[in-house]
Amino acid sequence: MKLLKNVIGMSPFPALSQISKAETKLWKVFWLLVLLLSLCGCAYNVKNFLIVFFKYPVLIDVSVENRDSMEFPAVTICNLNRMSEIYKSCVLNDIPWPCIRPFDDDVPEEKGSVLILSERRLYTSVSNATTRSEINYKSKSKELLNHYTNLDHKSRYCYGYRLHQLVKNCTFNSTFCHSSDFSIFQTIQYGNCFTFNNALQQQNSFKVIKAGPDTGLEFEIDANLNSYLDITPSAGIRVTIHSPYENPNPVQDGINLSPGYDTQISISKSSVQRLPAPYRDQCRDYKATNDSTNSADSQFNCIRECIQQTNKSYAAALILSFQQNLNRNLVIYRIRVRYPVLIV
């Protein structure tokens, strides 16, 4: 009995150790009530945890599925040269299209797209140049880029490469592609890019039923090397493979293909499907068409829109602060000019 009392007295639980150390029955009853209340509180919390745990029986399910068909990814192709050399003088003179020939009927309408922030690191900076030849090269690149960005959407499209100039032959599952299977996507770095299987602008996306070299998408692309600008650093095609429900980001996610070679690309798909509300993750289904709160069409575009809106708010605050300081300096300047006149 004495040994049990000593063990209880050394218990890490304060209420239990105080029961053995209490000298009167009143204190023993008090610490016993404290112990019982603590056990009741612990049991209550365990009960709530178990209710939440068993409410959603499976949160993570890793499985391998063999499907009869799979959704084919979107493929975006761009020429590393944003525009043809013959239109360089038109751009440098800020001449909108038509410079040589009138507008074509196939000019697509401009659609709002999210700003691709990763293109900023490719803008030319003369201050980083070290040699005279590098300074001349970057100065020419900067001059052309400044004039190119001042062009309107239609002029940039018409000065760039068209679909029939890039894609000479295209088959999908041994069936010839149609021009309606492609959509245009413009970037400052690469000009006109063309996306195959863009589910954002098509009702149905393409699917494949088997893997292998005889299926999938096959391109024959002309890089138009004879029309390259003298400031284009490399020659070839930029290819981006992405989700059909997302806009491409060729600058960050693309790969370069060298001209004159046969390139084969095979991919495997790993899907992570997160649970929407009422699960605690409360993930959003970007493919849902009846979601009124779904302003972005994909998680990638949602993140980019959030970054853009944040930068915009910071820029607006910076401009407001600068304007206030500017107005304050103007007032001080006027006082400094008029004050001596008043003294005289």
Side-chain angles (χ1 to χ4, degrees), residues 265-332:
I265 301 176
S266 60
I267 60 175
S268 60
K269 181 179 179 180
S270 299
S271 299
V272 178
Q273 184 177 1
R274 304 192 183 277
L275 301 176
Y279 287 87
R280 300 184 68 182
D281 292 342
Q282 296 185 1
C283 295
R284 174 179 294 177
D285 185 8
Y286 292 94
K287 297 181 182 179
T289 57
N290 56 352
D291 187 1
S292 59
T293 62
N294 188 0
S295 59
D297 48 30
S298 66
Q299 183 186 30
F300 181 63
N301 290 339
C302 180
I303 294 174
R304 292 198 296 184
E305 285 184 4
C306 180
I307 294 175
Q308 185 176 2
Q309 294 298 330
T310 303
N311 290 340
K312 184 178 179 181
S313 61
Y314 279 120
L318 181 62
I319 293 174
L320 179 60
S321 176
F322 176 77
Q323 186 66 34
Q324 291 176 349
N325 293 333
L326 180 62
N327 294 336
R328 190 179 300 112
N329 292 334
L330 288 176
V331 172
I332 295 174

Side-chain angles (χ1 to χ4, degrees), residues 11 56 98 111 139 191 195:
S11 174
Y56 310 109
K111 297 184 178 180
S139 298
T195 302

